[in-house]
Amino acid sequence: MNVTIVDYKSGNISSVINSFKEVAKGKVKIEVTSDLKKISSSDKVVLPGQGSFKSCIDALNTINGLVETLNDFALNNKKPLLGICVGLQMFADVGYEETETKGLSWISGKVSKINNQNGKYKLPHIGWNEVNIVKDSKIFKNVENNSHMYFVHSYEFIPNDKSVISATTEYSSNHVCAVEEENIFGTQFHPEKSDKTGLKIIDNFISL
Amino acid sequence: MLKNRIIPCLDVKNGRVVKGINFVDLKDAGDPVEQAKIYSDGGADEICFLDITASNENRDTIYEVVEKTSKKCFVPLTVGGGIRSIEDINKLLNCGADKVSINTAAVQNSKVVIDSSKKFGSQCIVVAIDAKKNEKKWEIFTHGGRNSTGIDAIEYAKKMEECGAGELLITSMDRDGTQVGYDIELMSKISSRVNIPVIASGGVGNLDHLVEGIKLGKASAVLAASIFHYGKHSIKEAKEYLDSKGIPVRI
């Protein structure tokens, strides 16, 4: 089996690579590439994302055929895909960071700035927060409810269909921090930076 | 609920850990990779490396330290010291740093903060401010505390937020290495002025100082070196103590 981390030249993905390699040790091949053929033929794909919604979408679009390849992978072939942070946010129809930007439209919804209640809550939402698991999700297998995960973001994904939400977290309001719809998984938090519990989530994804 | 973070800081010189008293009189005390691993296993919420003499020495050793650490520690890793350019930031991030803290370069040219936060995202840009109190204000110092600037720290903090900094790391130079506690007034003034998280630094001598930094200084995170480094307290003890004082921490 092989897992591909999509390298689309947006932000820092070395921590994602390190954590997947640590978990995969020997049993699974971890590939880091933007090669469309390799992405298509891999068993699972990880879509990281750092920076703004717009910069990530722009970076995806810079690589000719990448969006089509990912669409094919996730929507037609229905192979497992994990989006992390902005990687998750890009599942939406639209994002409002910097300017209104069209997303991948895999899970209907929008990405808006967290309401900081007139400065009552500092943004970005940085640090360790508890994750409230709201539905049975394969990536949360053997992960205790209310485990701590590491977050760093100012925008939140608001899906139209609430049944896709697999976990929420409390900061200013109760917002979505993980989704699962069939083969598509996403975490707003960074499993690669969330210590042993985060590595467990990565292990769960790899073991799907 | 978001937890307050405890961040042990390792001062690194030529690839080895040191911690100075008021930025001088350095003692060698270990391998940074091993130290970082001990801290992350012990429950540190983040790890911070400060390459203290980077401004005027060959700093390639830090890249190797960061690379090795990031393969062993799976909590956020912040690296600061001697960062001058987008290229420096890029190199550190590629080695496995999650955030960089920019000090002197941000004072000299705020465009570094604007450009880097645009390129890499605010989430990985920490602006470090070294401030010293005089009769009128807290003044910013650069180059590891050697050069005065005349710049007001509180105004500057606000400006850095506007430039795109994701967090501010505030060090009181009057307190650093003294173990008498954070400069609470400075921390709370800056924290109230900005809407981004503030990390308090400089002066921790006991666990009550960590409590004060969060409760009175309104810091989102507290950074300390000596109390952890020389085994006076473990991260676990610190967290349990904060918890007993009603401060939300990750245990």
Side-chain angles (χ1 to χ4, degrees):
Chain A
M1 197 193 35
N2 66 343
V3 176
T4 298
I5 298 170
V6 183
D7 180 10
Y8 58 105
K9 310 292 178 225
S10 177
N12 169 31
I13 61 168
S14 49
S15 287
V16 174
I17 299 168
N18 284 338
S19 61
F20 272 79
K21 285 192 171 163
E22 170 76 13
V23 172
K25 266 181 186 163
K27 52 181 180 181
V28 176
K29 192 175 167 212
I30 305 293
E31 188 116 47
V32 184
T33 185
S34 59
D35 184 293
L36 304 183
K37 276 191 191 137
K38 283 184 179 163
I39 293 170
S40 299
S41 65
S42 66
D43 298 301
K44 283 166 194 157
V45 157
V46 181
L47 185 62
Q50 276 201 356
S52 72
F53 186 95
K54 184 180 183 300
S55 68
C56 287
I57 288 286
D58 286 349
L60 279 186
N61 286 325
T62 304
I63 299 169
N64 215 345
L66 180 56
V67 170
E68 292 75 11
T69 300
L70 291 172
N71 281 337
D72 205 43
F73 187 94
L75 303 179
N76 299 332
N77 295 329
K78 292 197 179 298
K79 289 200 267 186
L81 182 141
L82 174 67
I84 299 174
C85 198
V86 184
L88 151 78
Q89 294 181 358
M90 290 192 295
F91 296 170
D93 299 311
V94 61
Y96 294 99
E97 192 168 0
E98 289 183 56
T99 175
E100 188 175 320
T101 307
K102 207 176 163 304
L104 294 166
S105 294
W106 290 351
I107 297 181
S108 181
K110 61 177 181 178
V111 175
S112 316
K113 194 161 195 173
I114 295 169
N115 177 0
N116 74 347
Q117 301 181 27
N118 292 322
K120 194 177 159 208
Y121 287 85
K122 290 185 180 287
L123 289 180
H125 168 218
I126 298 186
W128 297 81
N129 207 333
E130 281 156 319
V131 166
N132 178 27
I133 302 170
V134 295
K135 79 168 179 185
D136 211 20
S137 172
K138 295 178 191 108
I139 59 167
F140 288 121
K141 193 181 159 197
N142 295 327
V143 172
E144 266 181 54
N145 195 22
N146 300 323
S147 289
H148 291 94
M149 300 292 169
Y150 186 78
F151 288 83
V152 47
H153 65 123
S154 299
Y155 285 74
E156 60 175 319
F157 176 40
I158 306 169
N160 293 330
D161 174 7
K162 305 299 174 204
S163 74
V164 302
I165 302 169
S166 55
T168 61
T169 197
E170 193 71 38
Y171 190 70
S172 177
S173 66
N174 196 260
H175 62 251
V176 175
C177 74
V179 294
E180 175 180 339
E181 187 172 54
E182 294 184 79
N183 56 312
I184 300 173
F185 302 84
T187 63
Q188 178 60 64
F189 55 82
H190 291 267
E192 77 278 14
K193 287 282 113 188
S194 297
D195 214 349
K196 292 178 190 73
T197 329
L199 296 183
K200 180 69 204 159
I201 288 174
I202 291 171
D203 193 20
N204 286 339
F205 178 71
I206 287 179
S207 311
L208 279 176
Chain B
M1 178 189 247
L2 183 66
K3 304 301 162 81
N4 290 104
R5 287 167 284 157
I6 296 186
I7 308 174
C9 179
L10 294 162
D11 288 3
V12 179
K13 184 185 182 186
N14 300 328
R16 300 284 295 171
V17 174
V18 287
K19 171 62 192 173
I21 308 294
N22 282 330
F23 293 100
V24 293
D25 189 27
L26 304 175
K27 291 177 195 170
D28 192 331
D31 171 22
V33 184
E34 290 308 310
Q35 284 287 339
K37 177 74 178 147
I38 290 168
Y39 284 146
S40 81
D41 285 348
D45 296 311
E46 296 185 24
I47 307 284
C48 180
F49 283 144
L50 184 61
D51 195 8
I52 40 172
T53 53
S55 302
N56 39 24
E57 279 180 33
N58 181 347
R59 64 191 306 266
D60 280 357
T61 50
I62 193 71
Y63 296 117
E64 200 181 314
V65 167
V66 170
E67 201 164 2
K68 282 185 185 160
T69 307
S70 68
K71 290 194 169 82
K72 284 192 169 185
C73 296
F74 299 95
V75 300
L77 175 63
T78 304
V79 184
I83 295 166
R84 286 278 168 276
S85 62
I86 297 278
E87 188 41 43
D88 291 343
I89 298 170
N90 195 32
K91 212 168 161 188
L92 282 167
L93 295 177
N94 281 333
C95 285
D98 297 291
K99 313 182 202 181
V100 292
S101 100
I102 311 173
N103 190 328
T104 303
V107 178
Q108 287 172 337
N109 179 11
S110 53
K111 206 167 168 292
V112 173
V113 179
I114 297 170
D115 292 349
S116 61
S117 60
K118 275 215 182 97
K119 186 167 168 61
F120 306 107
S122 290
Q123 84 288 336
C124 65
I125 306 299
V126 181
V127 169
I129 301 176
D130 291 345
K132 200 173 193 172
K133 198 176 184 184
N134 61 31
E135 309 81 55
K136 296 181 205 136
K137 64 183 177 198
W138 282 273
E139 184 189 353
I140 290 178
F141 282 69
T142 59
H143 299 86
R146 292 188 291 274
N147 297 2
S148 65
T149 64
I151 299 168
D152 182 286
I154 295 161
E155 293 308 313
Y156 176 76
K158 188 67 193 167
K159 185 183 163 193
M160 287 300 106
E161 176 184 20
E162 285 158 7
C163 288
E167 287 176 276
L168 299 174
L169 167 58
I170 313 294
T171 303
S172 157
M173 294 185 52
D174 303 302
R175 302 298 177 90
D176 200 62
T178 62
Q179 311 219 342
V180 297
Y182 295 116
D183 184 338
I184 294 301
E185 209 187 340
L186 171 66
M187 302 306 159
S188 68
K189 281 212 156 98
I190 290 180
S191 191
S192 310
R193 188 73 205 278
V194 300
N195 285 319
I196 52 177
V198 165
I199 305 164
S201 159
V204 175
N206 60 47
L207 299 179
D208 279 316
H209 293 152
L210 299 177
V211 175
E212 289 166 11
I214 292 163
K215 279 199 170 168
L216 307 175
K218 304 190 190 82
S220 301
V222 283
L223 182 139
S226 325
I227 62 157
F228 300 127
H229 202 52
Y230 294 116
K232 192 168 171 185
H233 293 287
S234 65
I235 303 281
K236 187 167 174 280
E237 276 170 12
K239 288 195 158 180
E240 282 167 356
Y241 190 73
L242 262 59
D243 182 53
S244 77
K245 297 289 174 184
I247 292 174
V249 285
R250 174 180 71 113
I251 292 184

